[in-house]
Amino acid sequence: MRKKILYGGDYNPEQWLEYPEILKKDIEMMKEAKINTVTLGMFSWSMLEPEEGVYNFEWLENIIEILEASEIEVILGTPSGAKPTWLGNRYEEVRVVRADGVRELQGNRHNFCTNSPVYREKIAIINEKLAHLSLKYKNIILWHISNEFGADCHCELCQKKFSQWLKEKYKTIENLNREWWTTFWSHRYKNFEEIHTPMSIGEMSVTALDINYRQFMVKNYIDYFNFEKASIQKITKHLPFTTNYHGTGNHNMNYREFSKHVDIISYDSYPEWMMKNNLDVAFETSFNFDLMRSTDLNKEFMLMESSPSSTNWQSYSKLKPNNLLSLASIQSIAHSSSSILYFQIRQSRGSAEKFHGAVIDHSGKSSHRVFREAKRLGGELQKLNYSFEKINSKVAIYYSWLNKYALERTQGPRNEGMDYYQNVLEIYRVLKSKGLNIDIVFEDSKLEDYNLVVFPMMYVVEEEIAEEIKKYVSNGGTIVTTAPVGYVNSDDLCHLGGFPGHLKDVLGIEIDEIDALTNEERGKVSYKGKTYTSKYFNEMITLCEAEPLGVYEKFFYKGSVAISENIYGLGKTYHIGTLLEREGLYAILEDVLEESGVYGAIDNNNLIYNNYLGRHYIFNFTETIEEFKFKGKEYSLKGLDYIIIED
Amino acid sequence: MRKKILYGGDYNPEQWLEYPEILKKDIEMMKEAKINTVTLGMFSWSMLEPEEGVYNFEWLENIIEILEASEIEVILGTPSGAKPTWLGNRYEEVRVVRADGVRELQGNRHNFCTNSPVYREKIAIINEKLAHLSLKYKNIILWHISNEFGADCHCELCQKKFSQWLKEKYKTIENLNREWWTTFWSHRYKNFEEIHTPMSIGEMSVTALDINYRQFMVKNYIDYFNFEKASIQKITKHLPFTTNYHGTGNHNMNYREFSKHVDIISYDSYPEWMMKNNLDVAFETSFNFDLMRSTDLNKEFMLMESSPSSTNWQSYSKLKPNNLLSLASIQSIAHSSSSILYFQIRQSRGSAEKFHGAVIDHSGKSSHRVFREAKRLGGELQKLNYSFEKINSKVAIYYSWLNKYALERTQGPRNEGMDYYQNVLEIYRVLKSKGLNIDIVFEDSKLEDYNLVVFPMMYVVEEEIAEEIKKYVSNGGTIVTTAPVGYVNSDDLCHLGGFPGHLKDVLGIEIDEIDALTNEERGKVSYKGKTYTSKYFNEMITLCEAEPLGVYEKFFYKGSVAISENIYGLGKTYHIGTLLEREGLYAILEDVLEESGVYGAIDNNNLIYNNYLGRHYIFNFTETIEEFKFKGKEYSLKGLDYIIIED
Amino acid sequence: MRKKILYGGDYNPEQWLEYPEILKKDIEMMKEAKINTVTLGMFSWSMLEPEEGVYNFEWLENIIEILEASEIEVILGTPSGAKPTWLGNRYEEVRVVRADGVRELQGNRHNFCTNSPVYREKIAIINEKLAHLSLKYKNIILWHISNEFGADCHCELCQKKFSQWLKEKYKTIENLNREWWTTFWSHRYKNFEEIHTPMSIGEMSVTALDINYRQFMVKNYIDYFNFEKASIQKITKHLPFTTNYHGTGNHNMNYREFSKHVDIISYDSYPEWMMKNNLDVAFETSFNFDLMRSTDLNKEFMLMESSPSSTNWQSYSKLKPNNLLSLASIQSIAHSSSSILYFQIRQSRGSAEKFHGAVIDHSGKSSHRVFREAKRLGGELQKLNYSFEKINSKVAIYYSWLNKYALERTQGPRNEGMDYYQNVLEIYRVLKSKGLNIDIVFEDSKLEDYNLVVFPMMYVVEEEIAEEIKKYVSNGGTIVTTAPVGYVNSDDLCHLGGFPGHLKDVLGIEIDEIDALTNEERGKVSYKGKTYTSKYFNEMITLCEAEPLGVYEKFFYKGSVAISENIYGLGKTYHIGTLLEREGLYAILEDVLEESGVYGAIDNNNLIYNNYLGRHYIFNFTETIEEFKFKGKEYSLKGLDYIIIED
């Protein structure tokens, strides 16, 4: 069990082999900053195998030895994140075919075909060599497979796999035709072989085809991850495995599925600090930490990458002011992260990311402000013990990548964007600002441990999750749903007999019609004597067993029900038939929290609270002094600062 | 001769063959709503010919029999709107080649090559079978060929046809080189075979090439329509033929040409109700009804498709409030439509249009608001008799698709958009709001029946139309032209000797220069002591025989003539050398109407008036009560309502 | 030595061979307008070689004879600007391959591959014939090679040349890998042959690859120009050579390099008169004249193309009011131009540019306003003598196309645009409005003749220019630099040891960090007691030998140094560590001008001053009367007018 927090980040000595004095200075500066961990080998293929079949691991072994001597641990990356030029040029099949039908030329990164036998054959040889090497050094602690998975491919190899995968899923072509409703516009298939992936130059009108393709791409990446893992485990199984998740919940990779295959969940976090309001950014960062770590609540969670200062590929490379680096880093620790790792220890001198923040910059000086901040943080981290433990949360929010695919691809009720991610984030923010730990739950989660579970925009409802919800509410749980809820199944096929399909009983309502609002339009909903603003959709609700809780105050359906509540078994359900703006969400969710017996730890919406390992963290991401009361005592916290209160 | 109004719409029983109880319920609900007509067979190819050469018409015959028993008539569609997967996959030639040179993959709809021999061969077999079938059932009343024609193609088959067509049109390559002015930039052709269609990866600088390509594509679709028609008429000629026009006047299909080939003009109308100001939408809808029906004033006009509620492929799926469905539907009847037909009777359960409005929704309930509205309208329609008769109009507006192609493709005087359609629509609105029936006239129309004809933005003027205008004005007619007028011929070749070319005499002016205004700029024009706003262009006018009527009040040409009037023979002509905004158009056109002896029926610009079959329709598309005087009597009409006053 | 100003422009008699009366009238009208020069042969290939190997030069000889008889001189263009249809259709290799991998089809212009042996072979035959022809006529005065060079190509021929060129430049692949820092993301090359040009479907992440490709394309065009020149010089060397530069400094062609190969610098100037504020347009036009002529200060400068009225390919074809044509034309004369040449003498009747302004319009009338203006200007020009002489400037601004490529392609500190051209222009405007002649200097310029040289956004600093700067300042010169300065070398490789690299000593500072501002953000900088607005970047400056001159008043680095000054040898340097808006630039540059002993000739920022051949030109491009003092005397100048004061 890990006892100390890992501190360090990506390090690329292979870029500096001609500069031995720089390599030496780097180690000294790492020690000065209390760095104890570096990631090696990411993007090193062209230095490990400079020509096909010619290998050179000497530089890697040299640096590992030096690091070992300096008591710095190593996360060892496999180099498949970018293909070497000789490989991409010689073997066409390793390069992806884009949605416009063009096979890419060699270049860039993350753009190999996961189904290429050649790519798999070549990386397996490298990985076996790395596995042998890993047996020689005690300071290697973790395998990091490839880098930030995610490119789509439409090549012939993928076409064949896609057909096979569909066949395994649907068994008969008639099942698929029925589920995908292909009779519409005469798009019926006779056999699985004639199904082509959705491309901009081809079929774009069958939404279930898109949804299935997205699921297939996730499956490809998991397969590929497992292939790399197996190539190492042929030699040795003594180390755990991870790969770095990236982006936000908005990314198309289904990390819930992926987390069934990694040993440690790790995440690259690049919030837009200083570009947007920092408090907004901090809530979003908090959400993404909770989302990523919740993909498996029983696995260790690591911050694999972050920037010590600016991020050069964002629109603007904004500096992190003093304190913000600590504040942002400790925020991940408060979400159970066992590490603060940076991209990068030393700035690369040229090419795409030379202006990305680094612990050591182009000047190489230890007097540099960013180095001094990183060193100060290294000191702070020494004070914190660490042991992995499941975070205790009484409230959960439902997130579903499949639901996201379906909402994005379906046509109507709004084609100007559904913003699933943003709307879930808004729910998260309102709840989080009450001073709570929050878990994220998924299609296959158990709900029994929570007092309250919120299901925002749960457009897709399959029977399995509906059953879990009914059991949970029957036994006393509380849920909240928002529009749109229960329209379709996982193939975007509408529920016959009306919406919300399998959730009709538990919500006690029927949804008759959906009126979309334009981007500029706002609705009005009254709730307990006050009027709140809504947006995006208004559902026309017919109450069956439910009671009215709010009504529309605008449009031709003025006076009809907008919000309903229902008692089901020992529990309670709420449905908000529209998307409320923040003030309305505060009003309703505050009441619902109270009814479900959940009480927040602090009383200031501008602060962010976390509770982990007996420590209460309170973060102030604003620039002003904020007051708050905690366990009856009054506190004051200055801007860009945090406080840890021990139990 | 049709006596009753057709009421119903597209019905797709082939999607529901596994749900006999639903099919049964559908018929019951149709009867309840007084539905008397359905369209079958659109997009049914994959159910009629599930494999190449394997045919199944049984399901179709079954449903026709059931409908016959229920006294519901059938419009029979040919299924070429979407190609079945086996066809698209097996025969490359049936798939269009896009302007970027890519041949599309199988998928979507409306995207077949009209010149493909394979496609024609396959559809002819189906059509012959449908023709035989049509002889068996009395309730089949109309052939509906394919669906919403319109995709472009640049394949080798089309290239060859394009060369042939140009050769027939221009006879010698020297004629073409002269007309297209190809010596400019050295683009001369040596023979017709080396002319390639205009593609984004090729020739984009010869405007006449584009204009001719657009005309060629129109000709292809008409040819294809006639091919399908002939394949049916080989078996039987007992029924009339139509195909559904779609879009607005802004669409690239030349429906004037197309109407020479159909027996009944039919139109799919999908206005953006509730998304924009409903009154604006209603005037535009009115214009498009008048445009489509005027493409042949002697043929029956049908509303082939419309939505009973929302339209899911628009940006926002807005519901139609109560009354709006009736109001919008009766508006088509007032424009002589013999039908109210919906897409769709029953919502498809999945794929692209599952959220499109339907008479019967996913819940299948007859208590559903939309069903109740449709049923109410079914009742209203019973009260109206019908017989086709030419609408009586004293005012006409000129519209030319060729003019539209030329204005869109030419370079200068404005490359930020010419908005031909919008500017014609504005003229229409100003005249229509006076309480008039309005016809649309075309290049080959006779003008003698009208008191006034307006020619907005008549950039292209050929000798033929100029002669018709001169004859018409000589005999006492009145015309109004607006900038730009008479710059080029139909190959976008400038008139030598100055503009307005063939119209110099009749307008009595010369146009020396054209100053373009930016999108933000506005001009000022004084007319009868008041100043009005202009936009887009200002023409510098030299008066020959004409008199000045308005002058520019802004820019370096302040004080020079902006509006002129001329007496020619027994008639009168007006030229507005700019594009006036609404207030100015009201002022001038009001005077012109009076001078030409045309008097509107009502006096409220917020109401829309139509006169047909001895009925005076007055529509209020606003949300407020509107007062108006008609034949000396005062009326009041509430929001979203209409009134019919019999002669 | 030229004594008279050339007046005339492009003339295309080949478009009018069927209209002898028009050709005759044209000559008469040219004489009437005092036109003494026309350019022939541009875009005439399809008339000179209508079929492969079939030549027809008769029409050309005829017109030259007629012009000779009318005492009109001829600039003879080679026709390679547009390929004839037969050539493009028959030989694929002559058509460029775009960055998306598609080889263009035949069509358009300027889009041939400069490396195509076929294209070179064919044009050489034409050029030799033209060269023979040139010996027959005394009135041919200048060769004009091709037209407005500039299309990129990625074909196989270019790939091979690119590899060869890189090999010549870098000698070994190791040098290239080091310079391009290809170890980053494993993009190392094993040999030059495997390097592919940067394409949107391939490598887009190696910035040095892009920069080198841009340089390679410049080199291709110069090679091609020299090839055409040589093909003529095989026959005769009696005439000088030019090609028409186009666009602004923002164009990707490196005209500094190009000017080493032409005999006369010529430029096509198409400012957006009347579309934007005319004074802004006039300053920009002035800058571009200075930029183009400065590419070789010892060569004659010509205005090769301009519009006598509107420019039809701009967003809006705005007319030039009376006076503006003279004003804009004389402005080029004040910048040492030996010519006023128009595109075009007669408007082409059809195709792409039929609405482009011309001396003779479609009406063909000499009473036409534009013709009368052109004729009036022809008269004015008669009064001006001409002889080429180097302009005398005490102030220079540094411009570098390489710097532009690097700033545009690098990632960070801002990816929302660096606007190199606009920011240099802003510096130019502030200095120019003081009433000064200004030269532009380049990487290989000598600085000794100037009192002050400003280096805006000099992101790339190589040792050679740094040495020149040091020598110049040591000897008493003054320089001003602005952010970003001295970050990288010419392969976008960061300077180790910190920024500003080679300029550390001369500026006496180090730049520690760069904070990017968003497009909406503005910084505050105080200077001599006043506060000014900054944008884009703020550099954190550490003073070494320099003194502080201004500090930041905003953000977390409030109070730190923003502007520094340093004494170096006998001279002085200033660094502005941000981009100041106009008011701040006025304040600082005014002080710097005074300190460096430069005094402007006039005192009105709304007027533009030039001094050439002993004439002092003052231009008023506003619409209002402007007062100014010159040599102690007070003047008043009305709107859209100019005055010439002789020494």
Side-chain angles (χ1 to χ4, degrees), chain C residues 1-281:
Chain C
M1 215 49 182
R2 204 176 308 290
K3 294 287 181 215
K4 61 171 184 187
I5 289 170
L6 305 180
Y7 188 55
D10 285 275
Y11 184 51
N12 296 91
E14 70 270 37
Q15 295 174 19
W16 302 93
L17 299 182
E18 295 175 355
Y19 304 77
E21 75 292 351
I22 283 181
L23 292 171
K24 188 157 166 277
K25 187 82 183 305
D26 287 347
I27 302 289
E28 288 165 20
M29 288 178 75
M30 288 186 210
K31 295 304 292 178
E32 185 181 346
K34 312 282 188 218
I35 281 172
N36 57 29
T37 310
V38 300
T39 304
L40 298 176
M42 307 307 292
F43 304 115
S44 305
W45 197 331
S46 70
M47 288 297 281
L48 294 172
E49 188 180 4
E51 296 184 41
E52 187 169 7
V54 177
Y55 301 95
N56 173 15
F57 284 63
E58 201 186 331
W59 63 267
L60 180 60
E61 300 213 30
N62 284 347
I63 189 71
I64 296 175
E65 276 164 30
I66 293 166
L67 290 163
E68 195 166 41
S70 308
E71 299 181 310
I72 295 174
E73 293 186 328
V74 170
I75 298 170
L76 193 51
T78 67
S80 53
K83 47 192 171 344
T85 309
W86 60 260
L87 178 58
N89 277 350
R90 190 166 310 152
Y91 301 101
E92 178 181 276
E93 68 166 59
V94 305
R95 295 184 254 120
V96 297
V97 171
R98 305 185 312 194
D100 63 359
V102 175
R103 189 183 292 277
E104 288 191 358
L105 299 178
Q106 165 64 14
N108 309 314
R109 58 171 183 162
H110 301 161
N111 55 350
F112 59 94
C113 174
T114 55
N115 286 317
S116 157
V118 166
Y119 205 75
R120 290 183 170 216
E121 175 198 327
K122 300 294 180 191
I123 195 66
I125 298 169
I126 297 263
N127 285 358
E128 287 179 34
K129 289 179 189 292
L130 288 172
H132 282 295
L133 181 153
S134 77
L135 296 170
K136 304 205 287 191
Y137 303 100
K138 287 265 162 12
N139 61 331
I140 301 178
I141 59 168
L142 176 62
W143 288 108
H144 184 313
I145 299 293
S146 203
N147 191 69
E148 296 188 345
F149 286 126
D152 292 347
C153 185
H154 297 266
C155 76
E156 283 313 305
L157 294 163
C158 287
Q159 297 301 338
K160 191 168 283 182
K161 294 261 181 189
F162 186 47
S163 296
Q164 286 165 359
W165 181 79
L166 289 171
K167 191 165 192 171
E168 281 163 34
K169 178 172 174 183
Y170 290 99
K171 310 301 183 220
T172 72
I173 198 69
E174 266 320 303
N175 288 340
L176 180 143
N177 279 322
R178 191 184 309 109
E179 274 287 298
W180 292 13
W181 209 253
T182 54
T183 308
F184 182 81
W185 287 355
S186 233
H187 289 172
R188 295 175 64 78
Y189 299 104
K190 242 172 43 220
N191 54 59
F192 290 97
E193 288 67 33
E194 67 180 5
I195 302 176
H196 201 281
T197 58
M199 293 174 74
S200 60
I201 60 168
E203 184 65 272
M204 291 298 283
S205 72
V206 179
T207 59
L209 172 64
D210 287 271
I211 295 169
N212 275 279
Y213 175 71
R214 291 255 64 83
Q215 293 172 297
F216 169 67
M217 289 310 299
V218 169
K219 173 246 162 214
N220 281 340
Y221 276 104
I222 293 173
D223 272 6
Y224 179 82
F225 171 85
N226 284 328
F227 173 84
E228 280 211 35
K229 182 171 156 184
S231 69
I232 289 165
Q233 289 193 325
K234 266 202 290 192
I235 310 303
T236 172
K237 301 187 177 184
H238 76 295
L239 291 176
F241 286 83
T242 195
T243 188
N244 51 346
Y245 299 170
H246 67 296
T248 65
N250 216 4
H251 197 269
N252 279 327
M253 186 66 78
N254 185 332
Y255 291 123
R256 169 65 164 181
E257 283 309 307
F258 222 125
S259 286
K260 293 170 184 162
H261 303 269
V262 299
D263 298 309
I264 293 176
I265 295 163
S266 73
Y267 176 54
D268 297 350
S269 178
Y270 292 104
E272 294 180 276
W273 299 118
M274 305 302 289
M275 249 165 290
K276 302 178 178 172
N277 178 296
N278 279 339
L279 181 61
D280 294 342
V281 175

Side-chain angles (χ1 to χ4, degrees), chain A residues 209-226:
Chain A
L209 172 64
D210 288 87
I211 295 170
N212 275 279
Y213 175 71
R214 290 256 64 82
Q215 293 172 296
F216 169 67
M217 289 310 299
V218 169
K219 172 247 162 212
N220 281 340
Y221 276 104
I222 293 174
D223 272 6
Y224 179 82
F225 171 85
N226 284 328

Side-chain angles (χ1 to χ4, degrees), chain A residues 521-584:
Chain A
E521 266 180 329
R522 288 295 177 273
K524 290 278 169 218
V525 172
S526 64
Y527 169 74
K528 295 196 178 172
K530 280 199 181 165
T531 303
Y532 300 98
T533 310
S534 74
K535 59 181 183 173
Y536 282 37
F537 315 91
N538 288 329
E539 293 175 339
M540 314 290 98
I541 293 170
T542 296
L543 300 173
C544 303
E545 294 81 28
E547 295 293 318
L549 205 58
V551 297
Y552 293 109
E553 297 291 349
K554 215 175 139 181
F555 305 118
F556 75 90
Y557 37 85
K558 186 174 164 175
S560 67
V561 177
I563 309 171
S564 60
E565 66 178 328
N566 192 36
I567 292 169
Y568 185 85
L570 302 176
K572 208 154 175 193
T573 67
Y574 298 85
H575 178 60
I576 304 169
T578 182
L579 293 173
L580 288 175
E581 295 202 323
R582 196 170 297 170
E583 208 194 350

Side-chain angles (χ1 to χ4, degrees), chain B residues 254-303:
Chain B
N254 185 332
Y255 292 122
R256 170 64 165 181
E257 284 308 308
F258 222 125
S259 286
K260 294 170 184 163
H261 303 269
V262 299
D263 298 308
I264 293 176
I265 295 162
S266 73
Y267 176 53
D268 297 350
S269 178
Y270 292 104
E272 295 180 277
W273 298 118
M274 306 301 290
M275 250 165 290
K276 302 179 177 171
N277 178 296
N278 279 338
L279 181 61
D280 294 343
V281 175
F283 274 113
E284 181 169 4
T285 303
S286 179
F287 173 54
N288 281 293
F289 285 151
D290 278 332
L291 175 61
M292 298 299 166
R293 69 165 186 83
S294 293
T295 55
D296 193 331
L297 291 167
N298 297 307
K299 287 180 178 161
E300 183 181 337
F301 174 59
M302 284 177 59
L303 178 65

